[in-house]
């Protein structure tokens, strides 16, 4: 039998080194696998962690300064980002009850324009503190009240002159002199004009809830009421002289007046329907109604018909006060039409660029 030989010392060391290296490699492999598994597990969350429902909400502070003295009036705090400027005005009114939201004018700069109530407060923010300048706009009235007051006065004033009160005209002359038919027709047309305005204010026009200074209503009433008194005094005077061309002049002028009144009404209905339906992407287009075909020539046909009514009324009555009033109305309406035409050009350039503002070719 062969005896098993003992390994030499060199061979024994070599075996230990090999065994230790295997153990070391096995330990390193285990550690590497553990690290790799941890990496895979940590990378397995592909979705971002859910946002906490009760996240911190950022509030704004609005510092309100006096536009003249630059002194601080108050600070309106805890304004949510979704708030509008009208919400700020209501909170400002709670802090300063003497200033109602309708008479508060707020500006970003001292000489800048007044900010609209519908503007979002977040769009004004550069930091968490917003500085606005306050101006007292004075006593305000709603647009519905403004127009109802402005149009009710001429209607009632004209009727007072039409019945020929003894305090206005001489009672003896009033009973002796015969009234020409044009006097009755003028009263009908004048009342029809302002009754149409009143009904459209109540049932056709859609006001956004804005306000205007009380002084504007006083100036408007002084203009309309004063001219109505002057016009009605001359037309209903016992010594009133009828038009030069008699019934033919009166008939043609009255027919033109009624057509302009009808056209003005249908244009206002078309504009109100467009604004109410929210279709503001294109310029108002004419419908099957022939009175709306004026949209093909001018951008503000309601002003065209308004001017046409007063020119027709001037021809029908042939009085100087009506002529002066019609001339002033042409100037005022042309200014309003030019201003609105410029806005239309910015919004509806392709549709409006070849149209006139109020009167074709001339304006």
């Amino acid at each position: 039998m062969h005896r098993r030989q003992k390994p030499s010392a060199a061979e024994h060391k070599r075996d230990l080194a090999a065994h230790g290296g295997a153990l070391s490699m096995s330990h390193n492999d285990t550690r590497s696998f553990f690290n790799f598994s941890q990496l895979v597990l940590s990378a397995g969350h592909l979705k971002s962690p859910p946002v906490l429902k009760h996240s911190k909400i950022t509030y704004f502070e609005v510092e309100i300064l006096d536009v003249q003295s630059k002194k601080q009036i108050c600070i309106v705090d805890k304004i949510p980002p979704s708030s509008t400027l009208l919400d700020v005005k209501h909170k400002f009114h709670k802090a300063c009850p003497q200033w109602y939201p309708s008479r508060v004018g707020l500006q970003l700069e001292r000489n800048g324009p007044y900010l609209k109530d519908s503007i979002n407060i977040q769009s004004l923010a550069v930091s968490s503190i917003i500085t606005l300048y306050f101006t007292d706009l004075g006593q305000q009235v709603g647009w519905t009240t403004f127009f109802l007051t402005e149009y009710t006065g001429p209607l009632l004033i004209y009727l007072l002159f039409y019945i020929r009160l003894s305090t206005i005209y001489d009672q003896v002359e009033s009973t002796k002199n015969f009234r020409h038919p044009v006097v009755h027709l003028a009263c009908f047309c004048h009342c029809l004009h302002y009754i149409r305005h009143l009904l459209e204010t109540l049932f056709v026009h859609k006001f956004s809830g804005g306000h205007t200074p009380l002084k504007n209503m006083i100036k408007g009433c002084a203009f309309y009421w004063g001219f109505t008194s002057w016009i009605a005094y001359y037309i209903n005077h016992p010594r009133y002289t009828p038009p030069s061309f008699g019934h033919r002049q009166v008939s043609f002028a009255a027919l033109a007046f009624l057509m302009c009144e009808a056209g003005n009404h249908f244009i206002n209905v078309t504009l109100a329907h467009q604004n109410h339906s929210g279709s503001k992407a294109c310029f108002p287009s004419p419908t099957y109604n022939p009175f709306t075909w004026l949209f093909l020539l001018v951008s503000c046909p309601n002003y065209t018909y308004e001017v046409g009514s007063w020119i027709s009324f001037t021809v029908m009555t042939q009085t100087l006060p009506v002529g002066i009033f019609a001339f002033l109305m042409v100037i005022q309406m042309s200014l309003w039409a030019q201003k609105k035409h410029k806005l239309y050009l910015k919004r509806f350039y392709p549709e409006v660029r070849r149209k006139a503002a109020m009167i074709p070719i001339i304006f």
Side-chain angles (χ1 to χ4, degrees):
M1 293 181 66
H2 297 282
R3 182 177 291 182
R4 187 177 181 182
Q5 297 178 353
K6 293 182 179 181
S8 62
E11 291 177 353
H12 182 67
K13 289 181 179 180
R14 189 167 53 247
D15 293 338
L16 290 176
H19 181 69
L23 291 175
S24 177
M25 289 177 61
S26 176
H27 180 70
N28 291 337
D29 292 340
T30 304
R31 181 180 297 177
S32 300
F33 178 78
F34 177 79
N35 294 336
F36 179 74
S37 62
Q38 291 295 324
L39 178 63
V40 171
L41 291 175
S42 63
H45 299 284
L46 298 178
K47 295 182 180 180
S48 59
V51 180
L52 296 177
K53 293 183 179 180
H54 301 285
S55 59
K56 186 177 180 180
I57 301 176
T58 304
Y59 291 98
F60 294 103
E61 291 185 357
V62 179
E63 181 187 24
I64 300 179
L65 308 179
D66 184 77
V67 71
Q68 299 294 336
S69 62
K70 295 184 181 180
K71 293 182 179 180
Q72 184 186 94
I73 299 177
C74 72
I75 294 180
V76 183
D77 57 354
K78 294 185 179 180
I79 303 295
S82 60
S83 300
T84 62
L85 199 68
L86 183 60
D87 299 328
V88 176
K89 288 184 178 181
H90 282 291
K91 290 192 174 184
F92 177 61
H93 171 58
K94 290 182 179 180
C96 304
Q98 68 270 26
W99 289 308
Y100 294 94
S102 60
R103 65 185 297 169
V104 174
L106 297 177
Q107 306 160 275
L108 271 177
E109 300 176 356
R110 296 183 66 190
N111 298 325
Y114 293 113
L115 300 173
K116 295 182 179 180
D117 291 344
S118 59
I119 193 170
N120 190 280
I121 198 67
Q122 192 172 12
S123 63
L124 305 175
V126 179
S127 63
S128 60
I129 300 178
I130 304 172
T131 301
L132 298 177
Y133 293 94
F134 161 75
T135 301
D136 185 8
L137 300 178
Q139 186 66 37
Q140 303 285 303
V141 293
W143 283 110
T144 302
T145 305
F146 176 88
F147 288 116
L148 289 179
T149 306
E150 192 174 68
Y151 296 143
T152 303
L155 178 64
L156 299 179
I157 290 172
Y158 197 97
L159 291 175
L160 291 177
F161 282 90
Y162 176 74
I163 62 178
R164 289 183 176 179
L165 296 176
S166 58
T167 55
I168 302 176
Y169 302 110
D170 182 73
Q171 199 65 23
V172 177
E173 287 187 349
S174 299
T175 54
K176 286 184 178 180
N177 294 337
F178 171 75
R179 290 196 186 192
H180 194 274
V182 70
V183 176
H184 304 291
L185 183 60
C187 180
F188 170 78
C189 292
H190 192 275
C191 293
L192 177 66
H193 178 78
Y194 285 100
I195 289 175
R196 178 185 63 80
H197 274 304
L198 290 172
L199 293 178
E200 288 178 353
T201 301
L202 293 173
F203 304 108
V204 176
H205 297 301
K206 306 296 180 182
F207 302 105
S208 59
H211 298 80
T212 185
L214 178 63
K215 61 181 180 181
N216 289 348
M217 189 181 75
I218 295 176
K219 290 191 294 185
C221 291
F223 177 77
Y224 279 99
W225 296 15
F227 263 102
T228 300
S229 301
W230 192 23
I231 291 170
Y233 176 81
Y234 274 87
I235 296 178
N236 296 286
H237 199 279
R239 297 181 183 180
Y240 168 73
T241 304
S244 303
F245 296 96
H247 294 286
R248 181 177 298 180
Q249 177 179 344
V250 173
S251 300
F252 280 111
L255 181 61
F257 178 88
L258 295 176
M259 291 180 62
C260 290
E261 288 294 304
N264 202 340
H265 172 69
F266 289 120
I267 292 295
N268 288 332
V269 170
T270 302
L271 293 174
H273 177 73
Q274 179 212 18
N275 295 334
H276 183 65
S277 61
S279 176
K280 299 181 181 180
C282 59
F283 183 75
S285 57
T287 63
Y288 62 89
N289 190 336
F291 289 102
T292 63
W293 294 351
L294 200 56
F295 272 121
L296 297 173
L297 301 176
V298 297
S299 59
C300 303
N302 52 330
Y303 296 148
T304 307
Y305 282 123
E306 183 76 13
V307 168
S309 295
W310 286 110
I311 293 177
S312 302
F313 194 76
T314 303
V315 176
M316 180 177 63
T317 57
Q318 195 174 311
T319 54
L320 180 63
V322 182
I324 296 175
F325 182 75
F327 176 73
L328 295 177
M329 290 297 289
V330 170
I331 296 176
Q332 183 63 74
M333 293 294 168
S334 63
L335 294 176
W336 287 345
Q338 287 288 341
K339 184 178 180 180
K340 187 172 289 187
H341 185 70
K342 291 180 180 178
L343 295 177
Y344 284 152
L345 285 174
K346 294 180 181 179
R347 296 177 58 189
F348 318 111
Y349 176 74
E351 297 92 341
V352 185
R353 63 188 179 92
R354 294 186 178 181
K355 302 180 190 297
M358 186 178 72
I359 301 177
I361 302 174
I362 298 177
F363 292 102

